[in-house]
Amino acid sequence: MAGTGILGADSELSQHHPQKRRRSGRWWELQVRRRERWLVALGIVLHAVYMLSIFDIYFKTPIIHGMDPVPQRFTPPAKRLVLLVADGLRADKFFEPDSEGRFRAPFLRSVIREKGRWGISHARPPTESRPGHVSIIAGFYEDPSAVTKGWKANPVEFDSVFNRSRHTFAFGSPDIVPIFCLNVPHSSWNTYPHEFEDFASDAAFLDHWSFDQFQSLLNRSYKDPKLKQLLLQDNLVVFLHLLGCDTNGHAHRPYSSIYLNNVKVVDHIAESVYNLVESYFNDNQTAYIFTADHGMSDKGSHGDGHPSNTDTPLVAWGAGIRSPMWLLHSSQSDDGFRFVDDHGHDLPTPVEWGLTGIERVDVNQADIAPLMATLIGLPCPVNSVGNLPLDYLRLNKADEVEAALANTKQILNQFLRKSYLKQLNSLHFRPYKPLMNYSSILSEIEDLISERNFEAAMKSSTKLRSLALTGLHYFQTYDWLMLMTVITLGYIGWMVNLILHVLQSYTYLSANVSLRKQKVAPGTGSTIKRVHLGGCLLICLLSTIMYLENAPLLYHAYFAMTVFLWTQIFSNVPFLKAVWRDIASRKLGSSMKLLCISTLSIFILECLVSSFSERKLYTWCFLTVGIVVALFIFLCRLQRSFMAIYIWMACWFISTFTLMPAEIPDNTNLVILSGALAVLIGMAARWYGSSNKCDKFLLFFTQHDTRTRIPLLFQFQVFLVVSSSGMIWLSTSHRSREKELMMAHQLINWSLAGISLLMPLFSPRGLLERLTSIFLGLAPPFLLLSIGYEALFYSALSLVLMGWILVECAILNLTEGKDAAGHIESLEVTTINNNDERNLQLFDLRIPLIFMVLFNVAFFGTGNFASIASFEISSVYRFITVFSPFLMAALLIFKLFIPFMLVICVFVAITKLVRLPRLGCYFLVILFSDVMTIHFFFLVRNTGSWMEIGNSISHFGIMSAQVVFILMLFALTNIYTRDIEIGYLQLASQKVI
């Protein structure tokens, strides 16, 4: 039966000239291997450089320096500010009544009803403590470049309300206070030790600690004249960080009595601070802000954009704050405005809060910084992007406009600075056109203020501020489109080069090109030289431009690699024309087949992309595949009903693992049971391989030379698996009693794992015998490194891999005819090199695609690998219990490798079975990986929870690293698979002899 080439049926030329092909085969193979070495090296460098591009595209800091602060042009309404931040306080738990109908924050509710203003402060993910406090105190949202510091600190210093104050007093957590006060010389601060943050106790005492520190400060001032003088200055800020709610929420959940009681504690502290400050200063010149950095989910976590995490209370009162405004009706209009957490504007207030009759003024969290600065007459922090919430301020019309204009000028200064810096280094600067006449708008606002047309001035100022914020985003993403385009073109160019290499080296076109060289136009060589020269000149030109623009060094690498890849493509124009002519000359059905298989391949790869966030897709995949394959075997009338049932059960068995929890519970009995199952699988494989010598199916994957069998090897490997199961029980039970691992147990476990890994090297070379030996050889170390159901997954994956081999044998049996001799006769005219490998054909794409699916299942099939950071350290306790980070990490990585090694061993065996070029299949696997890599490149996030941001980076990094990762595993498993022999190939060799 004639094969189907990767673009259709094999050409007659390659079939009718096998002698010419064989004569040049050795030279051709050397050329291909040389080109492949360079291609692999290029792929490694390219993926490493392009992986770094996400930090230039997604994680550039928004913080810039060099702007002058904008002073307030009116007398501030307050001399000092008290900021109370209740870490982890949910808005609903703060405002709602308890089960007895009494409110948990009576003092602050009285403030809302009698003295001040209130609302919801909307936080933007990641809803964590550091970014929340940065938003409140500095006025900007999470600095994306902080990913380079592990989200622990800002890599760039920034301005804040504390920086602008005359003096700041701060007390609270060691994780928060130093961020803002450590480098501020005009600050006095103190923090409690980290040991105080005890999740096993009621953390409300942390809030009392902060208040006690402040009270102690005021008491000391009566005996310290310098401190007294410092406290009586204006532009003073007092910051109390109250961590109790956050710690109690994590430990006991936000619906627990401990958390809810902590809300009462926070309210009591707010009342105590108010009474203490008013009695100390007695001048009615203090403004008070009470809020929270983030909320808390019902599970006791935070970080994402759920309303329970983003909605926090805001209560303001004191000097400069408006009195409550009572509403005549409770209906609220929605003007379409969306807050930073993507919630609507003027959302209805829950009736149970009992505040529907009082005007509620919601703000974005970053708006609190300009509010605090305005209250005490400070310039807004120069990096702030917050809008001043005028509805909170008690100012006359003239001062309101001045305050709003100062806020606008501060944001406009950031825009102008970014515009200047970008223009300074750009040969072709693209300005933000809506603000090209900003100076005339400012002059117009000043004229309106002089004419006391405050309403028009306010409207113009608000519009200018909105344009400045849009302009800031414009310059923040100024290079975004260029970089995204260059990197995307680079990935596409790399994939096109892979396709060209596979077509030129592993399909019938590789023969056709060499045979048709004499028909190529005589000017082709000079054209290729001109293409290469043009590429070099373009690289030099782009590098010169970027040098003049002071572009980062990596920008040069991005452009150079992309231009180089496309230069290589254009230098293959004659070959591309030949491919196009070949496609154009085919019938419509052949082209439609190519289109359908390509579409199906992309669909499968997109499903794999989705599986990174939704593992249940694998469950549905295997449930469906089990039924489809079983029907295929029945409909093809292969008389293999047992094989159909086996594959259906294996697929359904493995489908359950992607429904398991990501956190693996300890279950030693299940691990021991998995050892018994591994032995049963090995015995079943051995029985099947020797049960029926006349079965033509056994011709494909058993070895006929029985003299090479080693009868005792199988029994010894079974003994090693059984011994490992026994040591699992013995080591675990002893460690649970004695709390340590015996040295004898440790040595035995290491010995069992090491010896078992060597045994497959001595196994027979037949496909089934060698794979069974590899399965039994990898089982002891995997079992010894398992703690729960992932040990069972190893056997489930092995059963599915065996099913894959059986399906390939069935396909081979159908395509080559039911008589193996017919297949042997066809070997002589289709080999492409000395390794008895044939041309790649379009239908062969199924093999790298199935490999991609199973390779990802090996990564995400168990809880350990479902989440990138969920490795369980207890997996190594049967080998080592003394903390050794490098050895423990190595053992965990080796455990991760074992399922991969099993998949790759089967993949290599199948390529030998169907006589596919392994390196050609490797390049197809890399091609498919890069289709997913491009998708993940666009899915990288710099907003959202830290987990979402981190996972998006991890997913992109994993796919980018596969060009090295898979190659390394291929080299590692080659130790086991290089000498596998296929039964019908042995018969062919004997026939040639």
Side-chain angles (χ1 to χ4, degrees), residues 19 392 395 538 577 742 923 991:
Q19 296 84 4
Y392 277 83
L395 300 172
L538 182 57
K577 289 180 179 179
M742 287 181 62
F923 286 118
K991 180 177 178 180

Side-chain angles (χ1 to χ4, degrees), residues 421-622:
L421 292 174
K422 184 56 65 176
Q423 186 175 7
L424 191 65
N425 295 320
S426 296
L427 297 179
H428 177 64
F429 177 67
R430 304 184 305 277
Y432 182 63
K433 294 182 179 179
L435 280 180
M436 292 182 68
N437 62 336
Y438 74 92
S439 57
S440 61
I441 299 175
L442 280 176
S443 298
E444 180 186 347
I445 294 172
E446 295 287 358
D447 292 341
L448 290 170
I449 293 175
S450 300
E451 298 169 3
R452 301 188 67 78
N453 189 350
F454 299 128
E455 185 175 348
M458 182 68 75
K459 187 178 296 184
S460 296
S461 179
T462 303
K463 182 179 179 181
L464 180 59
R465 188 191 315 146
S466 178
L467 286 173
L469 286 170
T470 308
L472 276 176
H473 179 73
Y474 170 79
F475 284 114
Q476 181 67 21
T477 58
Y478 188 84
D479 294 330
W480 184 88
L481 181 60
M482 176 193 70
L483 291 176
M484 291 291 286
T485 302
V486 169
I487 300 301
T488 303
L489 285 175
Y491 275 119
I492 293 173
W494 161 253
M495 291 191 294
V496 172
N497 273 283
L498 283 181
I499 293 172
L500 290 175
H501 174 71
V502 171
L503 290 178
Q504 289 175 327
S505 305
Y506 296 107
T507 69
Y508 72 91
L509 291 169
S510 60
N512 294 355
V513 170
S514 63
L515 291 170
R516 292 179 179 175
K517 277 187 177 179
Q518 65 272 22
K519 298 182 181 180
V520 178
T524 300
S526 60
T527 301
I528 293 174
K529 290 180 181 178
R530 285 196 294 270
V531 169
H532 286 154
L533 178 61
C536 292
L537 292 176
L538 182 57
I539 291 173
C540 293
L541 176 62
L542 292 173
S543 294
T544 303
I545 292 173
M546 285 182 288
Y547 175 78
L548 295 175
E549 292 188 345
N550 292 324
L553 186 62
L554 278 175
Y555 281 34
H556 296 256
Y558 304 150
F559 278 92
M561 284 188 171
T562 300
V563 172
F564 172 78
L565 289 168
W566 283 95
T567 300
Q568 292 298 108
I569 293 170
F570 286 120
S571 67
N572 279 286
V573 167
F575 179 75
L576 290 170
K577 289 180 179 179
V579 173
W580 176 252
R581 285 194 299 269
D582 188 272
I583 295 175
S585 65
R586 295 185 179 280
K587 296 180 180 179
L588 180 62
S590 179
S591 299
M592 289 302 297
K593 185 187 296 184
L594 173 63
L595 179 62
C596 290
I597 291 180
S598 301
T599 303
L600 179 62
S601 300
I602 293 175
F603 173 76
I604 292 172
L605 294 174
E606 289 301 307
C607 288
L608 291 179
V609 170
S610 301
S611 72
F612 272 67
S613 57
E614 188 53 65
R615 288 195 303 148
K616 292 180 181 178
L617 283 174
Y618 289 117
T619 299
W620 293 108
C621 167
F622 281 107

Side-chain angles (χ1 to χ4, degrees), residues 375-396:
L375 282 169
I376 54 177
L378 302 176
C380 289
V382 295
N383 306 119
S384 170
V385 294
N387 291 295
L388 179 63
L390 291 169
D391 288 335
Y392 277 83
L393 291 168
R394 187 174 66 239
L395 300 172
N396 58 45

